[in-house]
């Protein structure tokens, strides 16, 4: 499925549901796979200006697969441009990697590749107190996936949950589950610019709140920039976060190397971190081995570089995590455009 233009440049020109009717559900999708073909290539498509209106299971997704597991199909999703997708749906959480709003939701296949896509302006505009997720790329179930070289920016969520264990979330890449090894490599993620909402913002979210739990998650060479100022509220934000906000520790094996995690977000009563392990839960060092994280740039407020059972300075983070001995903090980074283009200037 290649080189199609789905939706034109006019805002909201692809609509599901009605702006005046909110007593039913609607789903708007650009490309949807409810079957599991043996080999699939989805490349070079432009999907833009979709809006889903309604309640409950209303959702918007650019590209979405079935949620089954155990199949051996191979899916390559490459070089697509997905932008301006919005919904007021109240789908809660990240179940099966199919949240209320996503640019790409992948839940099937073996050795899939999601690469060189540009995903921007994915928005949940509900004002209800729902723990919904707006995500650039959502992942569940699939085996041996590589997510690489994607550019993700301006993912927003105005849902109003104030419970830090069930927050409204905006995330660049969110992993609900995975089989075997999952590699997240060389992606650029910029979130929070211009957003004052009390939203939990996560650049790379190793949620892992359901089975299967990956054998290992490799997080290599990614650049994440979290910015903006919160008007009021207690929601935190993270460059990288292992955990699902609940009180249950989530402990997939992680390797976190050669990344730049910058978090300059401010305001509110929540803290803003470069990196975190099991925020909201009893912290667990399980599968976060010594030197699992290293050679990173970790920039945030000096008192909240990381979370490991409590707020950590850079020195305390290195002690608690037994890693990042060769990492830097407080290292000034200049981007071509911090809101959308994280090539280094």
């Amino acid at each position: 499925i290649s080189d199609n233009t789905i939706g034109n440049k006019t805002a909201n020109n692809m609509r599901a549901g009605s702006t005046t009717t909110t007593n039913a559900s609607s789903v708007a999708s650009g490309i949807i796979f409810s079957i599991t073909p043996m080999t699939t290539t989805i490349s070079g498509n432009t999907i833009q200006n979709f809006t889903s209106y309604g309640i409950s299971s209303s959702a918007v997704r650019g590209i979405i697969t079935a949620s089954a597991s155990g199949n051996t199909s191979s899916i390559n999703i490459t070089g697509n441009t997905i932008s301006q997708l919005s919904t007021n749906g109240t789908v809660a959480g990240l179940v099966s990697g199919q949240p209320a709003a996503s640019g790409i939701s992948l839940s099937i296949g073996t050795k899939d590749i999601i690469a060189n896509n540009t995903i921007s302006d994915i928005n949940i505009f509900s004002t209800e107190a729902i723990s919904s997720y707006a995500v650039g790329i959502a992942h569940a179930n699939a085996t041996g996936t590589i997510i690489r070289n994607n550019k993700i920016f301006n993912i927003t969520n105005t849902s109003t949950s104030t419970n830090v264990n069930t927050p409204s979330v905006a995330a660049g890449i969110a992993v609900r589950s995975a089989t075997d090894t999952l590699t997240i490599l060389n992606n650029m993620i910029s979130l929070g610019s211009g957003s004052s909402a009390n939203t939990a913002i996560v650049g790379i979210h190793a949620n892992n709140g359901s089975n299967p739990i990956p054998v290992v998650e490799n997080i290599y060479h990614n650049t994440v920039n979290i910015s903006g100022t919160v008007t009021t509220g207690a929601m935190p934000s993270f460059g990288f976060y292992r955990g699902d906000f609940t009180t249950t520790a989530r402990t997939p094996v992680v390797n976190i190397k050669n990344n730049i995690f910058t978090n300059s977000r401010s305001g509110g009563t929540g803290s803003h971190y470069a990196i975190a392990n099991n925020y909201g839960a009893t912290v667990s060092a399980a599968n976060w081995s010594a030197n699992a994280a290293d050679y990173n740039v970790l920039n945030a407020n000096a008192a909240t570089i990381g979370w490991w059972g409590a707020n950590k300075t850079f020195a305390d983070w290195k002690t608690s995590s037994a890693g990042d001995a060769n990492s830097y903090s407080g290292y000034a980074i200049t981007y071509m455009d911090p809101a959308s283009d994280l090539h280094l200037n």
Side-chain angles (χ1 to χ4, degrees):
I1 303 178
S2 299
D3 303 318
N4 301 284
T5 298
I6 307 173
N8 65 39
K9 294 182 179 181
T10 303
N12 305 319
N13 75 92
M14 302 290 280
R15 290 186 290 266
S18 167
T19 58
T20 58
T21 302
T22 58
N23 61 353
S25 299
S26 70
V27 177
S29 299
I31 298 171
I32 180 167
F33 271 79
S34 57
I35 57 173
T36 55
M38 291 304 297
T39 303
T40 301
T41 297
I42 303 172
S43 66
N45 301 285
T46 297
I47 300 170
Q48 58 191 355
N49 286 307
F50 277 63
T51 304
S52 164
Y53 300 99
I55 60 171
S56 185
S57 57
S58 295
V60 64
R61 289 99 180 222
I63 298 171
I64 181 171
T65 70
S67 60
S69 60
N71 69 86
T72 59
S73 61
S74 178
I75 299 176
N76 296 315
I77 303 175
T78 61
N80 301 283
T81 300
I82 302 170
S83 65
Q84 301 292 340
L85 308 185
S86 61
T87 183
N88 65 344
T90 56
V91 174
L94 197 59
V95 177
S96 299
Q98 299 186 351
S102 63
I104 296 172
S105 286
L106 175 73
S107 301
I108 58 174
T110 300
K111 297 183 178 180
D112 299 334
I113 294 175
I114 303 176
N116 299 309
N117 302 284
T118 299
I119 301 170
S120 65
D121 301 290
I122 310 299
N123 174 39
I124 296 175
F125 59 92
S126 169
T127 57
E128 296 191 37
I130 302 297
S131 57
S132 56
Y133 271 72
V135 183
I137 298 173
H139 185 282
N141 296 329
T143 301
T145 304
I146 296 175
I147 302 173
R148 61 173 173 82
N149 296 87
N150 299 285
K151 184 177 178 181
I152 301 170
F153 59 95
N154 198 28
I155 311 299
T156 58
N157 186 349
T158 59
S159 298
T160 57
S161 175
T162 58
N163 187 331
V164 294
N165 294 123
T166 55
S168 306
V169 178
I173 297 172
V175 179
R176 180 61 174 176
S177 59
T179 305
D180 201 1
T181 298
L182 173 67
T183 299
I184 299 175
L185 170 72
N186 204 34
N187 300 282
M188 293 183 180
I189 301 169
S190 182
L191 304 176
S193 177
S195 173
S196 60
N198 182 34
T199 304
I201 296 177
V202 190
I204 298 176
H205 189 6
N207 175 289
N208 297 113
S210 65
N211 291 323
I213 302 301
V215 173
V216 63
E217 288 178 330
N218 294 320
I219 314 297
Y220 296 150
H221 306 288
N222 300 282
T223 305
V224 175
N225 186 52
I226 310 297
S227 60
T229 301
V230 183
T231 300
T232 183
M235 291 303 176
S237 62
F238 311 89
F240 172 84
Y241 170 41
R242 184 179 80 158
D244 67 348
F245 291 101
T246 70
T247 57
T248 301
R250 305 301 180 184
T251 57
V253 176
V254 290
N255 291 311
I256 307 164
K257 305 285 177 68
N258 299 308
N259 303 281
I260 300 173
F261 297 136
T262 298
N263 191 343
S264 62
R265 194 162 178 81
S266 61
T269 57
S271 295
H272 306 289
Y273 305 91
I275 190 168
N277 179 31
N278 286 306
Y279 182 90
T282 301
V283 73
S284 174
N287 297 324
W288 192 308
S289 61
N291 301 313
D294 207 356
Y295 298 96
N296 301 295
V297 174
L298 305 177
N299 287 340
N301 182 290
T304 58
I305 294 298
W307 172 273
W308 193 287
N311 292 344
K312 299 294 181 181
T313 65
F314 184 47
D316 291 340
W317 167 262
K318 291 192 288 184
T319 299
S320 297
S321 67
D324 282 300
N326 299 291
S327 296
Y328 291 87
S329 186
Y331 191 91
I333 305 293
T334 304
Y335 302 109
M336 293 297 291
D337 183 344
S340 62
D341 184 354
L342 301 187
H343 287 94
L344 303 186
N345 186 348

